[in-house]
Amino acid sequence: VVVVQNASVLELKKALRRHVQLRQARQGGVQHLSWKYIWRTYHLTYAGEKLADDKKKLREYGIRNRDEVSFIKKLRK
């Protein structure tokens, strides 16, 4: 997924959503995913740190070109 250098976490989430929707459309997979459910159930993480603040810039988390961000399931409260 490509985002601008000074992108925020929210912009990364939007780019992920666009990427997955385009991929699903091309492959003829599930047409609708509940992104509200996904963001409520999973955290985006980078190097073991949760990307919890949507307004924070990716640069502040130390994310650079070609770095991997992953989903981890949130623990129940």
Side-chain angles (χ1 to χ4, degrees), residues 4-66:
V4 293
Q5 287 284 339
N6 60 347
S8 65
V9 173
L10 183 62
E11 290 166 334
L12 174 63
K13 287 180 176 181
K14 288 179 181 178
L16 281 169
R17 181 178 180 169
R18 266 193 314 272
H19 173 76
V20 170
Q21 286 174 337
L22 285 171
R23 189 169 171 202
Q24 294 291 63
R26 280 190 216 117
Q27 294 178 350
V30 178
Q31 291 299 326
H32 177 73
L33 288 174
S34 173
W35 287 95
K36 186 185 264 188
Y37 171 79
I38 290 171
W39 299 131
R40 190 176 57 222
T41 311
Y42 296 93
H43 281 295
L44 276 179
T45 62
Y46 172 72
E49 185 178 359
K50 295 176 187 171
L51 308 182
D53 185 4
D54 282 349
K55 294 180 180 116
K56 204 169 178 182
K57 301 289 183 191
L58 297 177
R59 191 177 333 134
E60 295 174 42
Y61 285 107
I63 299 173
R64 305 175 70 81
N65 288 343
R66 301 202 180 271

